[in-house]
Amino acid sequence: EDQVTQSPEALRLQEGESSSLNCSYTVSGLRGLFWYRQDPGKGPEFLFTLYSAGEEKEKERLKATLTKKESFLHITAPKPEDSATYLCAVQGSARQLTFGSGTQLTVLP
Amino acid sequence: DTEVTQTPKHLVMGMTNKKSLKCEQHMGHRAMYWYKQKAKKPPELMFVYSYEKLSINESVPSRFSPECPNSSLLNLHLHALQPEDSALYLCASSQDTQGAGDTQYFGPGTRLTVL
């Protein structure tokens, strides 16, 4: 059974204070690891897909990395508008995504 | 364009009502999904359609009835719901790639309240 664990559950940062979110996973035959951002009451917004260990992707202040056991979402110099819940999900040999419980990020001005 | 649209945005219904949720995508995706999401929880998969055929039903109660009229549209028909069915209902679509990871794009959701 595929499993995803995200840590921390909640993170409060000052504006400009860089940090990382962790996503640990076990999966049978990784096809992809996905990061989403979700604002309250809205649908998840796609951020990144990572396919294999060693891969990295960047978008503005966000950078996602992948190893064989975990993925990190690095946030550099965050702004208040980066406040959201960040979800990690994996897709293994089955079609379904297995989601983690998310990290709720708050960036204070 | 990676847009999935959902209507309505909000829906309030009684336990004896019949209503439908609608989802549309114009990305040429061949897989479409319904998810249910409770507050502070991740999305839970309900149904998957692949090439307009139901391929996965995650043991969802029969009061939820999905329909895929064509490759761009997905409906979720609701009947005799319970208050515990109140949640954010999300639609998603993907290309349905058979090899590498198949990125799913989500709509904004329908906030459903059952009285």
Side-chain angles (χ1 to χ4, degrees), chain B residues 10 14 24 28 31 33 40 52 61 71 80-81 85 87-88 92 103 107 115:
Chain B
H10 302 276
E24 189 167 7
Y33 310 77
K40 299 192 180 299
E52 301 164 45
S71 60
L81 295 191
D85 296 321
L88 182 67
T103 300
L115 301 176

Side-chain angles (χ1 to χ4, degrees), chain A residues 60-108:
Chain A
E60 296 180 354
R61 295 178 292 281
L62 300 177
K63 179 180 178 180
T65 63
L66 181 64
T67 73
K68 289 186 178 180
K69 293 183 178 181
E70 57 193 351
S71 176
F72 291 94
L73 184 65
H74 306 279
I75 303 177
T76 302
K79 298 181 178 182
E81 54 262 41
D82 294 321
S83 297
T85 295
Y86 290 84
L87 293 168
C88 172
V90 297
Q91 185 179 37
S93 54
R95 177 196 305 275
Q96 294 94 316
L97 293 183
T98 299
F99 283 91
S101 297
T103 293
Q104 185 174 357
L105 174 67
T106 303
V107 182
L108 304 170

Side-chain angles (χ1 to χ4, degrees), chain A residues 5 10 23-24 26-29 31-32 37-39 41 58 62-63 68 75 81 88-90 97 100 106:
Chain A
T5 302
C23 171
S24 297
T26 56
V27 65
S28 175
R31 291 174 59 190
R37 168 199 169 120
Q38 187 171 26
D39 293 307
E58 287 188 68
L62 300 177
K63 179 180 178 180
K68 289 186 178 180
I75 303 177
E81 54 262 41
C88 172
V90 297
L97 293 183
T106 303

